[in-house]
Amino acid sequence: MSKLPLKTSYPFTGHQPALTALERRTVPSRDDVIEFYRAHERMSWSLTELLDIPPSEIDVEALTEADVYVVESTMLVESNNPDYVANLLEYFAADQHACDFIMMWAVEEWKHYYALRDYLAKVRVALHESNGADGDAQPSQLHLRELVEAALGEQVDDVRANSAENWGIPLHYLPVQVVANTTLQEFVTAEFYRNHARQTGEPVLRKLEHLLAKDEARHEMFYEQKMRDVLDAQPELMSDAIAALKEFGMPGTYLVDRYDERRTAMENAAFPTVSAKRAAFVRLFAKLERMVGRDRAMEVLTEGNYLGDADDNRGRRKRPSRALISRLITAKIAGS
């Protein structure tokens, strides 16, 4: 894997000075952390139960090439969990309650990576065995698993190498900017898992993605509450939150090779029809509207990076216009 270009452009926040550790504190919210922990205990699922599922229970005949590509792509993004955690802990070093939450969040994200990697390894072994010619000497299933794990390890190593060069929370970001962006990232991830689970015909993958979606939705809700806490205390920071949301992008862009190709494949797998894509966009707008209000949501989507893929080193998608967004929202409301 070639080294990916470092994202250095912050067109909406680049004028901000770097912050000290104390300036990177959010509003203390012990109650939010305890409430998340209650949900964590109540809704936590067993990783070992998924790891113990025998390969024979996976219906590989029901899998599409897109399904396998989706699992590989999401596993690679989730594999960078150690760096996500390290960066968040470094950023919020002076914020005890934020760090307490990050430790719980880290365990759940670690489970996502391990579950996806184990599932992908089982699928690759099963596909190799099913494609073997009759009478040909075949390696044992154990040896096949070792070969598959070695190959997956190389892919993960490449992601971690790119992370060492490219990943990091900009130290000029205010706390409200970090949690606003992270809220949207968790929302997009939850939406993807939830909708791809509806599309796949493979029951084990469907079960796994439903579990991941529920976790991501709880993460999203925690970060959004943290954003609200900050803005309630300092409403004058709303414009700063908007500026960061305009710079929003999923981290896979500068961690995973061929991410544009992967993103398109993932979108098509989870939202295979025009109707599904429109509905997904309407849900994205509704999320932003809950976060910052309708007019500001419109501003984020028409001027920001995410839907336009506004990375200087890549081609851009056409950003939606205000008129198009209004038509999509109005049509959805009329049809609901």
Side-chain angles (χ1 to χ4, degrees), residues 54-68 118-131 141 200-205:
S56 59
E57 287 191 19
I58 299 175
D59 184 1
V60 292
E61 297 297 325
L63 285 170
T64 65
E65 289 185 14
D67 286 336
V68 180
D118 180 73
Y119 179 86
L120 181 59
K122 289 171 179 173
V123 166
R124 286 188 174 180
V125 169
L127 289 174
H128 184 92
E129 290 182 325
S130 66
N131 291 332
Q141 190 172 90
T200 183
E202 205 292 295
V204 176
L205 179 56

Side-chain angles (χ1 to χ4, degrees), residues 26 55 76 88 90 104 121 132 180 196 220 227 240 274 280:
T26 59
L76 289 173
L88 283 166
E90 179 182 7
M104 289 184 285
H196 187 257
E220 157 206 338
M227 184 194 76
D240 295 300
V274 172

Side-chain angles (χ1 to χ4, degrees), residues 28-293:
S29 58
R30 176 182 179 276
D31 290 345
D32 289 345
V33 176
I34 296 301
E35 186 57 33
F36 183 87
Y37 189 71
R38 287 196 180 101
H40 169 83
E41 289 188 314
R42 185 175 66 251
M43 301 179 66
S44 184
W45 45 273
S46 172
L47 172 64
T48 52
E49 284 184 10
L50 288 177
L51 299 182
D52 289 341
I53 292 176
S56 59
E57 287 191 19
I58 299 175
D59 184 1
V60 292
E61 297 297 325
L63 285 170
T64 65
E65 289 185 14
D67 286 336
V68 180
Y69 197 44
V70 158
V71 175
E72 179 190 79
S73 300
T74 54
M75 182 277 293
L76 289 173
V77 174
E78 299 275 17
S79 76
N80 202 48
N81 184 49
D83 285 0
Y84 303 146
V85 175
N87 274 268
L88 283 166
L89 288 175
E90 179 182 7
Y91 182 90
F92 288 113
D95 188 330
Q96 178 66 46
H97 296 310
C99 291
D100 290 344
F101 163 73
I102 291 164
M103 297 308 294
M104 289 184 285
W105 170 84
V107 170
E108 295 191 351
E109 296 290 355
W110 169 80
K111 287 168 65 178
H112 297 181
Y113 160 60
Y114 263 63
L116 287 165
R117 177 165 172 163
D118 180 73
Y119 179 86
L120 181 59
K122 289 171 179 173
V123 166
R124 286 188 174 180
V125 169
L127 289 174
H128 184 92
E129 290 182 325
S130 66
N131 291 332
D134 291 339
D136 287 352
Q138 292 289 312
S140 67
Q141 190 172 90
L142 177 60
H143 184 49
L144 269 176
R145 179 64 184 254
E146 291 173 347
L147 294 173
V148 166
E149 288 288 357
L152 291 175
E154 290 181 3
Q155 290 182 281
V156 169
D157 287 347
D158 283 340
V159 171
R160 300 299 306 284
N162 280 327
S163 178
E165 296 291 330
N166 300 344
W167 172 251
I169 297 172
L171 294 183
H172 67 268
Y173 264 23
L174 299 166
V176 72
Q177 295 175 316
V178 174
V179 294
N181 259 355
T182 310
T183 300
L184 194 54
Q185 179 179 322
E186 300 288 322
F187 169 80
V188 170
T189 306
E191 275 285 286
F192 170 77
Y193 283 135
R194 185 182 302 114
N195 283 277
H196 187 257
R198 293 170 179 161
Q199 299 301 326
T200 183
E202 205 292 295
V204 176
L205 179 56
R206 185 184 308 122
K207 174 183 178 180
L208 171 57
E209 289 187 314
H210 276 308
L211 293 172
L212 304 192
K214 288 179 181 179
D215 283 352
E216 302 290 4
R218 288 187 295 107
H219 302 165
E220 157 206 338
M221 292 166 64
F222 179 90
Y223 282 117
E224 182 175 344
Q225 184 58 54
K226 179 66 72 172
M227 184 194 76
R228 293 182 190 280
D229 291 344
V230 177
L231 290 176
D232 285 348
Q234 297 176 279
E236 70 275 9
L237 296 181
M238 175 62 82
S239 60
D240 295 300
I242 300 304
L245 286 170
K246 288 180 182 179
E247 293 176 347
F248 172 77
M250 297 298 280
T253 304
Y254 39 95
L255 294 177
V256 182
D257 205 10
R258 307 195 319 277
Y259 186 74
D260 288 344
E261 172 190 313
R262 291 179 184 275
R263 172 176 167 172
T264 299
M266 292 165 69
E267 288 177 349
N268 290 337
F271 312 103
T273 66
V274 172
S275 176
K277 288 180 172 64
R278 287 175 176 168
F281 176 82
V282 172
R283 289 192 297 273
L284 173 65
F285 184 87
K287 176 63 177 179
L288 283 167
E289 184 178 16
R290 290 194 300 274
M291 291 172 65
V292 298

